[in-house]
Amino acid sequence: MTLGRSCIRLCVIAVAMQASSAFAEVFQFPALHASLPADPEQALLTDYNQVAVIYGSADIGAFSPAIEAFQQNNPQVGIEYHQLQTLEMYDMTIKERASGAANADLIISSSMDLQMKLANDGYAIAHQSTQTDALPNWARWRNEAFAVTQEPAVIAYNREFFRENELEPPRTREAFLELLRANDDLLSEKVTTYDIERSGVGFLFLARDERFFPGIWDFIRQLGQSKVKLYSNTSPMLEKIADGQVVLGYNLLGSYAETFSHRTPNLGVILPDDFIVVYSRIAIIPRGARNPNLGARFLDYMLSIEGQTVLQDAGNFNPVRADVPQSPFSSLIFDRYGERVRSFPVGPGLLVYLDQAKRQRFIRRWQDALLNRR
């Protein structure tokens, strides 16, 4: 993880909750220009020495360039970034609101369904600006929930392993399944994917797969037979694939995988030829925010042409706005594979993934498939 000169890594802090403890890594980005003006009245009219508190699920290494670019335009604003798991973020938001404690100024989560539930249940305040108006209709809901990225699920593989074993990496889900069946011994304990019980985005990806891939449960049964390794985060999966502890990953976050592959040539990244599941990080300004104006300012920067370009160039977070020039990776997804992209519109339709009865049935079926129980 490489951070700019302005970031101070504070510590890992425990936030007590009713059922569990949430652990947030907190990163401070001090204001670039924190001195007060000579005229005290001017200080009251200007955002001097203010700190925006952001809860986010994005890895700080990928997200810090956007923070630092924002501060170049807002040198009097410091940023306190809390890197959290999505469920922890959701629980904290509800508990802080219930207790009357100050909330973050902006929440950016990869769990689209949980963010949509917060907005739908009245935990978000409305914000409208020229930047939010520039979003396509699918990317905003009631000016309360906003998509800020588009990110595909990809297949990742260890290039050296496949080359040495004279194997072709799979380019479709069916080919992935056939590869596992034909090389059961060779690939045993060498495949990885999300643990959908602990990963919100992993659950969403698999739920989307079920809709568009008829063979998904045969695929999951084969993953179980291959003794798949399950993780809640993308980064450890990418690291283990690159160093050969595992050699093949399914449904990994494309933004992280593409960035990682630039630093580690041994990691190959494949956009599936059959269809590509694309999700978005959703941002909301929560009720009870310490400084909602700062949250809105940071949101507007992320949604601006400049902000979207920084997110794309530094972290391969593909832009939501149509007027942002696309990177080669983004162009490949949306131009070459356009009609095969399966996205999630921002709206109440996301709440279906939170129906507890349906969710539990889905997870039980996933558990049964992994254990090869019929």
Side-chain angles (χ1 to χ4, degrees):
M1 175 174 59
T2 302
L3 302 179
R5 63 149 191 91
S6 61
C7 179
I8 301 173
R9 184 173 185 168
L10 289 183
C11 57
V12 179
I13 61 172
V15 181
M17 299 194 300
Q18 290 178 358
S20 63
S21 293
F23 291 90
E25 286 192 271
V26 182
F27 300 87
Q28 289 278 15
F29 293 76
L32 301 180
H33 177 65
S35 60
L36 290 171
D39 183 355
E41 291 187 3
Q42 183 65 25
L44 298 176
L45 301 175
T46 313
D47 288 325
Y48 278 83
N49 300 333
Q50 295 196 67
V51 176
V53 177
I54 299 172
Y55 292 171
S57 58
D59 287 354
I60 187 63
F63 196 66
S64 60
I67 293 175
E68 292 167 355
F70 167 81
Q71 288 186 304
Q72 291 295 325
N73 295 314
N74 299 270
Q76 287 82 29
V77 180
I79 300 291
E80 183 178 293
Y81 183 75
H82 296 236
Q83 185 175 315
L84 288 154
Q85 295 289 329
T86 56
L87 184 57
E88 294 169 343
M89 201 182 316
Y90 173 81
D91 287 341
M92 283 175 63
T93 302
I94 291 176
K95 289 177 172 62
E96 286 170 348
R97 180 65 178 163
S99 68
N103 212 312
D105 301 318
L106 189 67
I107 301 174
I108 312 164
S109 175
S110 56
S111 282
M112 298 182 72
D113 48 357
L114 292 177
Q115 285 289 83
M116 194 61 229
K117 181 167 175 56
L118 287 175
N120 190 66
D121 291 351
Y123 285 88
I125 60 176
H127 170 64
Q128 185 172 12
S129 67
T130 56
Q131 306 301 342
T132 63
D133 287 344
L135 292 175
N137 289 334
W138 69 263
R140 65 179 187 268
W141 182 75
R142 288 198 327 200
N143 290 318
E144 293 178 12
F146 308 92
V148 297
T149 67
Q150 295 190 86
E151 300 173 55
V154 302
I155 296 167
Y157 67 99
N158 182 291
R159 292 182 184 275
E160 183 179 0
F161 175 89
F162 276 80
R163 183 170 56 250
E164 289 180 350
N165 289 279
E166 299 182 345
L167 294 173
E168 285 293 323
R171 306 203 69 87
T172 66
R173 290 160 180 81
E174 195 64 48
F176 200 128
L177 174 57
E178 291 307 315
L179 178 71
L180 294 181
R181 284 173 170 166
N183 299 274
D184 189 44
D185 291 339
L186 185 63
L187 293 174
S188 181
E189 299 187 72
K190 292 290 187 179
V191 186
T192 186
T193 192
Y194 284 112
D195 180 347
I196 69 166
E197 294 183 73
R198 296 189 295 145
S199 168
V201 69
F203 182 95
L204 287 178
F205 282 160
L206 191 63
R208 205 66 164 166
D209 282 343
E210 185 192 39
R211 179 174 177 183
F212 294 104
F213 178 38
I216 187 60
W217 296 113
D218 288 336
F219 182 76
I220 300 303
R221 275 188 285 274
Q222 186 59 51
L223 286 179
Q225 187 168 322
S226 298
K227 300 179 182 177
V228 63
K229 304 293 187 181
L230 302 176
Y231 293 89
S232 60
N233 293 308
T234 302
S235 294
M237 290 192 277
L238 294 173
E239 291 167 1
K240 291 179 185 300
I241 293 170
D243 67 20
Q245 294 183 56
V246 295
V247 298
L248 190 58
Y250 179 67
N251 264 0
L252 277 62
L253 269 184
S255 53
Y256 292 164
E258 184 69 8
T259 300
F260 196 92
S261 70
H262 293 168
R263 303 193 306 267
T264 311
N266 194 38
L267 183 83
V269 178
I270 292 173
L271 292 164
D273 283 339
D274 43 359
F275 62 89
I276 302 173
V277 177
V278 174
Y279 92 113
S280 298
R281 295 176 194 271
I282 292 182
I284 66 169
I285 303 170
R287 294 189 184 278
R290 294 165 173 82
N291 193 328
N293 291 331
L294 285 184
R297 193 188 303 181
F298 192 88
L299 173 63
D300 281 345
Y301 178 76
M302 284 195 303
L303 297 180
S304 70
I305 291 177
E306 178 184 335
Q308 291 269 284
T309 301
V310 170
L311 286 168
Q312 177 177 234
D313 292 348
N316 282 298
F317 298 117
N318 302 302
V320 177
R321 289 178 57 154
D323 54 354
V324 175
Q326 292 185 339
S327 69
F329 183 56
S330 182
S331 180
L332 179 64
I333 298 166
F334 298 103
D335 291 342
R336 178 177 172 182
Y337 291 90
E339 64 182 19
R340 285 171 280 177
V341 169
R342 306 291 182 262
S343 299
F344 294 89
V346 178
L350 288 165
L351 300 179
V352 69
Y353 300 107
L354 291 175
D355 182 289
Q356 289 305 302
K358 292 180 180 178
R359 192 179 186 92
Q360 287 306 311
R361 282 198 300 271
F362 189 87
I363 289 176
R364 280 198 300 272
R365 188 170 186 183
W366 178 75
Q367 293 169 335
D368 288 344
L370 282 179
L371 294 172
N372 284 287
R373 295 192 300 236
R374 294 287 176 172

